[in-house]
Amino acid sequence: MSNPVPPPLAPGSTIGILGGGQLGRMSALAAAALGYRCHVFAPEGDSPGMQVAAARTVAGYDDTQALAAFAAAVDVVTFEFENVPAATLDVLAPLVPCRPGVAALRIGQDRVAEKRFFESAGIPVGPWREVTSRESLHAAIAALGLPAVLKTTRLGYDGRGQAVLRSPGDADAAFDRLAPHPLILEAFIPFAKEVSAIAARGADGQVVTFDAVENRHAHHILDLSFAPALVPDAVATAARAHVAAVATALDLVGILALEMFLQADGTLLANEMAPRPHNSGHWTMDACAHGQFELHMRAVAGLPLPDPGRHHDAVMKNLVGPDSFAAWPSLAAMPDVALHLYGKAEARPGRKLGHANRLLPPGSLAQARDPADLSPL
């Protein structure tokens, strides 16, 4: 017999968020619109999430006393980035419901575990090998060929923790530079486009998905997302089916993003997942009746999940570093642009400081020579 689904949290309940970055900030704002309070737990004070939270705890993720007090002060816990230590949820889970839970967190933190999980869920992935030593790296290169991408299995994001190997001579230096070990070697995929899709899954198992989007990067950081992706209908349908299958296989409660490589023959290969709100879903805040942050908070709180209801095409532009951030006054003046700034005190190069969503009539992207021409910047 299946476990009964608990009733949704009553308005006025408190949702605990591990992590104080911009994803926590936008999650807390969405929760407030639904009538909930948020309590942010993070090591850094005056973080973007803490600026808009009803309560704050500044403590390390290994501070068991602070975690126990946090659990006693909230009704449910979620996280806004997947590098929260799994041991933190091990402390919290016996004390308070944790959504999406430690299993999704552990798998999302380890690229080898992630690849194996995709394969077990029937999601295609590119060729890969685990690398535990110099010898296994050279064996992996012999099996996969070059070029290939050597990555850390943990703590890598926005292009950090990886190296492209173009010749055998690159291998040993990359192995020494990248840490912690073990590593993973992935065959270089000559993809046509990067496509991502996002699903929300409720405590009752209901799954809803957003339209698939195309992503373009600059300096290994997401620069633009185009919604919907300009791909054949069968590809868009497959992308949504893949992310729904992963969310279901994880028994996830919350939001999940799946990044995929579209090959020239129309097949999709899963690259990586994020069991939390995702940069490539920021367009949903303004182009959908219900955005990713709202649906994440709905799932975490046990509320029903409506269809996202996309009502515009959209181009999302990341504001990374001081140069693009300096354009905020002109972006704020554009009538078809929704501007979201994260409240970060320092505008450092390479730092995500905000994003701008340009809203367009449905069908606009398909009519453009290049959808990048419709970027707000």
Side-chain angles (χ1 to χ4, degrees), residues 333-373:
M334 295 180 182
D336 60 351
V337 170
L339 179 63
H340 302 270
L341 303 180
Y342 303 153
K344 295 183 179 180
E346 186 180 355
R348 298 195 302 266
R351 195 180 199 194
K352 295 176 183 175
L353 301 168
H355 69 272
N357 290 328
R358 186 175 184 193
L359 302 183
L360 303 157
S364 297
L365 292 180
Q367 297 170 12
R369 180 185 60 84
D370 181 349
D373 294 339

Coordinates of all heavy atoms in Angstrom, one line a residue, residues 333-373:
A333 N 14.0 50.3 -18.4 CA 13.2 51.2 -19.2 C 12.5 50.5 -20.4 O 11.6 51.1 -21.0 CB 14.0 52.4 -19.7
M334 N 12.8 49.3 -20.7 CA 12.2 48.6 -21.8 C 10.9 48.0 -21.5 O 10.8 47.2 -20.5 CB 13.2 47.5 -22.3 CG 14.5 47.9 -22.8 SD 15.5 46.5 -23.4 CE 17.0 47.4 -23.9
P335 N 9.8 48.4 -22.2 CA 8.5 47.9 -21.8 C 8.3 46.4 -22.0 O 7.4 45.9 -21.3 CB 7.6 48.7 -22.8 CG 8.4 49.1 -23.9 CD 9.8 49.2 -23.4
D336 N 9.0 45.7 -22.8 CA 8.8 44.3 -23.0 C 9.9 43.5 -22.3 O 10.0 42.3 -22.5 CB 8.8 43.9 -24.5 CG 10.2 44.3 -25.2 OD1 11.0 45.0 -24.5 OD2 10.3 43.9 -26.4
V337 N 10.6 44.1 -21.3 CA 11.6 43.4 -20.6 C 11.3 43.4 -19.1 O 10.9 44.4 -18.5 CB 13.0 44.0 -20.8 CG1 14.0 43.4 -19.8 CG2 13.4 43.8 -22.2
A338 N 11.4 42.2 -18.4 CA 11.3 42.1 -17.0 C 12.7 41.9 -16.4 O 13.4 41.0 -16.8 CB 10.4 40.9 -16.6
L339 N 13.1 42.8 -15.5 CA 14.4 42.8 -15.0 C 14.4 42.2 -13.6 O 13.6 42.6 -12.7 CB 14.9 44.2 -14.9 CG 16.3 44.5 -14.3 CD1 17.4 43.8 -15.2 CD2 16.6 46.0 -14.3
H340 N 15.4 41.3 -13.3 CA 15.5 40.7 -12.0 C 16.9 40.8 -11.5 O 17.8 40.3 -12.1 CB 15.1 39.2 -12.0 CG 13.7 39.0 -12.5 ND1 12.6 38.9 -11.7 CD2 13.2 38.8 -13.8 CE1 11.5 38.7 -12.4 NE2 11.9 38.6 -13.7
L341 N 17.2 41.6 -10.4 CA 18.5 41.8 -9.9 C 18.6 41.1 -8.6 O 17.6 41.0 -7.8 CB 18.8 43.3 -9.7 CG 18.7 44.1 -11.0 CD1 19.0 45.6 -10.7 CD2 19.6 43.6 -12.1
Y342 N 19.8 40.6 -8.2 CA 19.9 39.6 -7.2 C 20.4 40.2 -5.8 O 20.5 39.5 -4.8 CB 20.9 38.5 -7.6 CG 20.5 37.8 -8.8 CD1 21.4 37.1 -9.6 CD2 19.1 37.7 -9.2 CE1 21.1 36.4 -10.8 CE2 18.8 37.0 -10.3 CZ 19.7 36.4 -11.1 OH 19.4 35.7 -12.3
G343 N 20.7 41.5 -5.8 CA 21.1 42.1 -4.5 C 22.5 41.8 -4.1 O 22.8 41.9 -2.9
K344 N 23.4 41.4 -5.0 CA 24.7 41.1 -4.6 C 25.5 42.4 -4.4 O 25.4 43.3 -5.3 CB 25.4 40.2 -5.6 CG 24.7 38.8 -5.7 CD 25.4 37.8 -6.7 CE 24.7 36.5 -6.7 NZ 25.3 35.5 -7.6
A345 N 26.3 42.4 -3.4 CA 27.0 43.6 -3.0 C 28.2 44.0 -4.0 O 28.4 45.2 -4.2 CB 27.6 43.5 -1.6
E346 N 28.8 43.0 -4.6 CA 30.0 43.2 -5.4 C 29.8 42.7 -6.8 O 29.4 41.5 -7.0 CB 31.2 42.5 -4.7 CG 32.5 42.8 -5.4 CD 33.7 42.2 -4.8 OE1 33.5 41.5 -3.7 OE2 34.8 42.3 -5.3
A347 N 30.0 43.5 -7.8 CA 29.9 43.2 -9.2 C 31.2 42.7 -9.7 O 31.9 43.4 -10.4 CB 29.4 44.3 -10.0
R348 N 31.6 41.4 -9.4 CA 32.8 40.8 -9.9 C 32.7 40.2 -11.2 O 31.6 39.8 -11.6 CB 33.3 39.8 -8.9 CG 33.6 40.2 -7.5 CD 34.4 39.2 -6.7 NE 33.7 37.9 -6.7 CZ 32.9 37.5 -5.7 NH1 32.7 38.3 -4.6 NH2 32.4 36.3 -5.7
P349 N 33.8 40.2 -12.0 CA 33.7 39.5 -13.3 C 33.4 38.1 -13.1 O 33.8 37.4 -12.2 CB 35.2 39.7 -13.8 CG 35.7 40.9 -13.2 CD 35.1 40.9 -11.8
G350 N 32.5 37.6 -14.0 CA 32.1 36.2 -14.0 C 31.0 35.9 -13.0 O 30.6 34.7 -12.9
R351 N 30.5 36.9 -12.3 CA 29.5 36.7 -11.2 C 28.1 36.9 -11.8 O 27.9 38.0 -12.4 CB 29.8 37.6 -10.0 CG 29.0 37.2 -8.8 CD 29.3 38.1 -7.6 NE 28.9 37.5 -6.4 CZ 28.8 38.1 -5.2 NH1 29.1 39.4 -5.2 NH2 28.5 37.5 -4.1
K352 N 27.2 36.1 -11.5 CA 25.8 36.3 -12.0 C 25.1 37.3 -11.0 O 25.0 37.1 -9.8 CB 25.0 35.0 -12.0 CG 25.5 33.9 -13.0 CD 24.7 32.6 -12.8 CE 25.3 31.6 -13.7 NZ 24.7 30.2 -13.5
L353 N 24.7 38.4 -11.6 CA 24.2 39.5 -10.8 C 22.7 39.8 -11.1 O 22.1 40.5 -10.3 CB 25.0 40.8 -11.2 CG 26.5 40.7 -10.9 CD1 27.2 41.9 -11.5 CD2 26.8 40.6 -9.4
G354 N 22.2 39.2 -12.1 CA 20.8 39.4 -12.4 C 20.5 38.7 -13.8 O 21.3 38.1 -14.4
H355 N 19.2 38.9 -14.2 CA 18.8 38.4 -15.5 C 17.7 39.3 -16.0 O 17.0 40.0 -15.2 CB 18.5 37.0 -15.6 CG 17.2 36.6 -14.9 ND1 17.1 36.3 -13.5 CD2 15.9 36.5 -15.3 CE1 15.9 36.0 -13.2 NE2 15.1 36.1 -14.3
A356 N 17.5 39.3 -17.3 CA 16.5 40.1 -18.0 C 15.7 39.1 -18.9 O 16.3 38.4 -19.7 CB 17.0 41.3 -18.7
N357 N 14.4 39.1 -18.8 CA 13.5 38.3 -19.7 C 12.8 39.3 -20.6 O 12.1 40.1 -20.2 CB 12.5 37.6 -18.8 CG 13.1 36.5 -18.0 OD1 14.0 35.9 -18.4 ND2 12.4 36.2 -16.9
R358 N 13.1 39.1 -21.9 CA 12.4 39.8 -22.9 C 11.2 38.9 -23.4 O 11.3 37.8 -23.8 CB 13.2 40.1 -24.2 CG 12.5 41.0 -25.2 CD 13.3 41.4 -26.3 NE 12.5 42.4 -27.1 CZ 12.9 42.8 -28.4 NH1 14.0 42.3 -28.9 NH2 12.1 43.6 -29.1
L359 N 10.0 39.5 -23.3 CA 8.7 38.8 -23.6 C 8.3 39.2 -25.0 O 8.3 40.4 -25.4 CB 7.6 39.2 -22.6 CG 7.9 38.8 -21.2 CD1 6.7 39.2 -20.3 CD2 8.3 37.4 -21.0
L360 N 8.0 38.2 -25.8 CA 7.6 38.3 -27.2 C 6.3 37.6 -27.6 O 6.0 36.6 -26.9 CB 8.8 37.8 -28.1 CG 10.2 38.3 -27.8 CD1 11.2 37.4 -28.3 CD2 10.3 39.7 -28.6
P361 N 5.6 38.1 -28.6 CA 4.4 37.3 -29.0 C 4.7 35.9 -29.4 O 5.8 35.7 -29.9 CB 3.9 38.1 -30.1 CG 4.4 39.5 -30.0 CD 5.8 39.3 -29.3
P362 N 3.8 35.0 -29.1 CA 4.1 33.6 -29.5 C 4.4 33.5 -30.9 O 3.8 34.1 -31.8 CB 2.8 32.9 -29.1 CG 2.2 33.7 -28.0 CD 2.6 35.1 -28.3
G363 N 5.4 32.7 -31.3 CA 5.8 32.5 -32.6 C 7.0 33.4 -33.1 O 7.5 33.3 -34.2
S364 N 7.3 34.4 -32.2 CA 8.4 35.4 -32.6 C 9.7 34.7 -32.9 O 10.4 35.1 -33.8 CB 8.5 36.5 -31.6 OG 7.3 37.2 -31.5
L365 N 10.1 33.8 -32.0 CA 11.4 33.2 -32.1 C 11.5 32.4 -33.4 O 12.6 32.5 -34.1 CB 11.7 32.3 -31.0 CG 11.9 33.0 -29.6 CD1 12.2 31.9 -28.5 CD2 13.0 34.0 -29.6
A366 N 10.5 31.7 -33.8 CA 10.5 30.9 -35.0 C 10.6 31.8 -36.3 O 11.1 31.3 -37.3 CB 9.2 30.1 -35.1
Q367 N 10.2 33.0 -36.2 CA 10.3 33.9 -37.3 C 11.6 34.7 -37.4 O 11.9 35.3 -38.4 CB 9.1 34.9 -37.3 CG 7.7 34.3 -37.4 CD 6.6 35.3 -37.1 OE1 6.8 36.5 -37.0 NE2 5.4 34.7 -36.9
A368 N 12.4 34.6 -36.4 CA 13.7 35.4 -36.3 C 14.7 34.7 -37.1 O 14.8 33.5 -37.2 CB 14.1 35.6 -34.9
R369 N 15.6 35.5 -37.8 CA 16.7 34.9 -38.5 C 17.7 34.2 -37.5 O 18.1 33.1 -37.8 CB 17.5 36.1 -39.2 CG 18.7 35.6 -40.0 CD 19.5 36.8 -40.5 NE 20.0 37.7 -39.5 CZ 21.1 37.5 -38.8 NH1 21.8 36.4 -39.1 NH2 21.5 38.3 -37.9
D370 N 17.9 34.8 -36.4 CA 18.7 34.3 -35.3 C 18.0 34.7 -34.0 O 17.8 35.9 -33.8 CB 20.1 34.7 -35.3 CG 21.0 34.1 -34.2 OD1 20.4 33.5 -33.3 OD2 22.2 34.2 -34.3
P371 N 17.5 33.8 -33.1 CA 16.8 34.3 -31.9 C 17.7 35.2 -31.0 O 17.2 36.0 -30.3 CB 16.5 32.9 -31.2 CG 17.4 31.9 -31.8 CD 17.6 32.3 -33.2
A372 N 19.0 35.1 -31.2 CA 19.9 36.0 -30.4 C 19.7 37.4 -30.7 O 20.0 38.3 -30.0 CB 21.4 35.6 -30.6
D373 N 19.2 37.7 -32.0 CA 18.9 39.1 -32.4 C 17.8 39.7 -31.5 O 17.6 40.9 -31.5 CB 18.4 39.1 -33.8 CG 19.5 38.7 -34.8 OD1 20.7 38.8 -34.4 OD2 19.2 38.3 -35.9

